[in-house]
Amino acid sequence: MDTRRTVVILGHPDSESFTGHLAAEYVAAAESAGREVRVFRLGEMDFDPILHHGYRERQELEPDLVELRGAITWATHLAIFYPIWWGEIPALLKGMFDRILLPGYAFKYRKNSPFWDRLLAGRSARVFTTMDTPPWYFRWVYRRPGHRVIRSNILDFCGIRPVKIHSIGSVRKSTPERRARWVEQVRRYAGS
């Protein structure tokens, strides 16, 4: 994966959360490794996460979304951090994807064809999800619905691949030692 130009997206609305801490550690390690990094904390951005009219009517992007979209265009790699809530990505993160990954920018349907062009090809992604559910339970019982959506229905649909997903949990009952090991793992991924 080419991670020289990395966009870090914190999809947790609270930058002070453990997920926010992991994202900050990733940024510090990536910068120490010589990467160019641009950081976007969705909870601190000003935008409407609702795509009010779908693709039927154009909805102007707020300046924060214009900046994020420009950064994604610039990037060779995305690092996305968010909690799993109700088996899925948070509404704020989903709303950001709804608003900026639009036809003509992220993908383009082919005329008279069920297929589409993936306009964000050439980028990779690493996704870090925190959860209170034990990752084995999320995988084998829930069948990882949030992971499937982010990998297949969002990122790969737009051409972003490979997508590597890391499940971090169970956070709720974790010890300080376990959290420190997760931080070290995230820092290693940022430097590689």
Side-chain angles (χ1 to χ4, degrees), residues 16-141:
E16 300 300 315
S17 63
F18 181 63
T19 309
H21 177 65
L22 291 174
E25 291 289 336
Y26 183 97
V27 169
E31 289 175 342
S32 291
R35 312 286 192 265
E36 292 180 73
V37 181
R38 296 184 186 173
V39 183
F40 295 86
R41 296 171 187 88
L42 299 188
E44 298 174 14
M45 294 171 60
D46 184 23
F47 70 96
D48 181 354
I50 300 170
L51 185 62
H52 290 277
H53 304 286
Y55 300 147
R56 182 175 49 85
E57 190 176 306
R58 184 167 184 208
Q59 184 175 338
E60 289 298 318
L61 296 179
E62 295 85 352
D64 283 350
L65 291 184
V66 171
E67 184 181 356
L68 175 53
R69 194 162 91 166
I72 290 171
T73 301
W74 163 86
T76 55
H77 184 68
L78 305 178
I80 305 169
F81 292 79
Y82 61 89
I84 293 289
W85 288 343
W86 295 106
E88 257 294 355
I89 66 178
L92 184 63
L93 180 60
K94 176 65 166 63
M96 179 276 294
F97 285 133
D98 287 347
R99 292 292 312 285
I100 67 171
L101 298 182
L102 299 171
Y105 170 71
F107 65 95
K108 180 181 175 189
Y109 290 118
R110 297 177 187 166
K111 191 172 182 165
N112 300 320
S113 173
F115 301 106
W116 64 99
D117 295 319
R118 293 168 164 89
L119 302 180
L120 295 179
R123 292 158 187 82
S124 59
R126 200 176 282 275
V127 176
F128 298 90
T129 63
T130 56
M131 61 186 74
D132 287 335
T133 304
W136 67 266
Y137 195 89
F138 187 69
R139 178 179 184 171
W140 297 109
V141 177

Side-chain angles (χ1 to χ4, degrees), residues 146-185:
H147 291 15
R148 287 195 315 270
V149 167
I150 192 84
R151 175 182 281 128
S152 301
N153 301 86
I154 297 174
L155 299 176
D156 184 61
F157 186 90
C158 300
I160 299 171
R161 59 175 93 145
V163 175
K164 296 190 178 187
I165 301 177
H166 306 278
S167 300
I168 298 169
S170 171
V171 173
R172 184 170 49 97
K173 294 184 178 183
S174 62
T175 64
E177 295 78 21
R178 183 67 184 123
R179 287 182 180 219
R181 286 196 304 271
W182 286 328
V183 166
E184 271 312 303
Q185 289 172 340

